[in-house]
Amino acid sequence: MNNDYQDSINALNMPEKADMTFAMDFLMRAKEGVRNTAIALTETVTPEARAVLRKQLHQGIALHQEIAELMLSKKWFHPYELHEQYQLDHLSALETIQIGHMNLFPEDTSRKGMFDRTPDEHQ
């Protein structure tokens, strides 16, 4: 990764990386939802509210399973192969560090001189 944040080479494989990141975030949020619903279910007294929460809990578990299966099929998540998951997490951490070291707000953002003529030169 070079330090020029406007260079298009930095966008290589970015859609796939973004998809993987969004899916992992979605998986964690679904897990949080299941946990929070289970807690609410144990603290609810009325049978009607318990029925609603029980239905939501089952839907949340099904959603979590669907996201996990998608991630497994795309090889974005390796819960049974810790070495592969570690490598994936390590690569993600290295990329995060590289992005953190990029100069995202350089003093000179001019692209003058990169083109052979100005846009209005033909007039």
Side-chain angles (χ1 to χ4, degrees), residues 4-23:
D4 185 356
Y5 76 100
Q6 292 180 337
D7 192 341
S8 59
I9 194 68
N10 290 328
L12 190 64
N13 299 321
M14 199 53 68
E16 295 82 9
K17 291 175 186 175
D19 287 347
M20 182 175 70
T21 303
F22 297 147

Side-chain angles (χ1 to χ4, degrees), residues 8-57:
S8 59
I9 194 68
N10 290 328
L12 190 64
N13 299 321
M14 199 53 68
E16 295 82 9
K17 291 175 186 175
D19 287 347
M20 182 175 70
T21 303
F22 297 147
M24 181 59 80
D25 187 57
F26 194 21
L27 183 71
M28 290 187 305
R29 304 240 181 248
K31 184 176 181 177
E32 276 178 38
V34 167
R35 182 182 306 124
N36 292 340
T37 304
I39 291 169
L41 183 60
T42 63
E43 296 177 358
T44 302
V45 185
T46 64
E48 296 84 12
R50 290 181 67 84
V52 169
L53 288 171
R54 194 174 295 115
K55 182 179 177 184
Q56 288 180 352
L57 180 62

Side-chain angles (χ1 to χ4, degrees), residues 60-77:
I61 291 169
L63 177 63
H64 184 275
Q65 181 178 355
E66 190 176 336
I67 299 165
E69 288 173 357
L70 169 74
M71 293 181 70
L72 285 167
S73 71
K74 299 275 190 178
K75 301 199 183 326
W76 294 340
F77 185 46

Side-chain angles (χ1 to χ4, degrees), residues 90-115:
H90 185 73
L91 179 62
S92 177
L94 289 176
E95 288 177 356
T96 301
I97 290 169
Q98 286 177 337
I99 290 170
H101 285 120
M102 289 178 71
N103 184 10
L104 296 178
F105 302 101
E107 305 230 355
D108 179 22
T109 57
S110 170
R111 291 295 192 208
K112 193 172 184 175
M114 293 186 65
F115 302 99

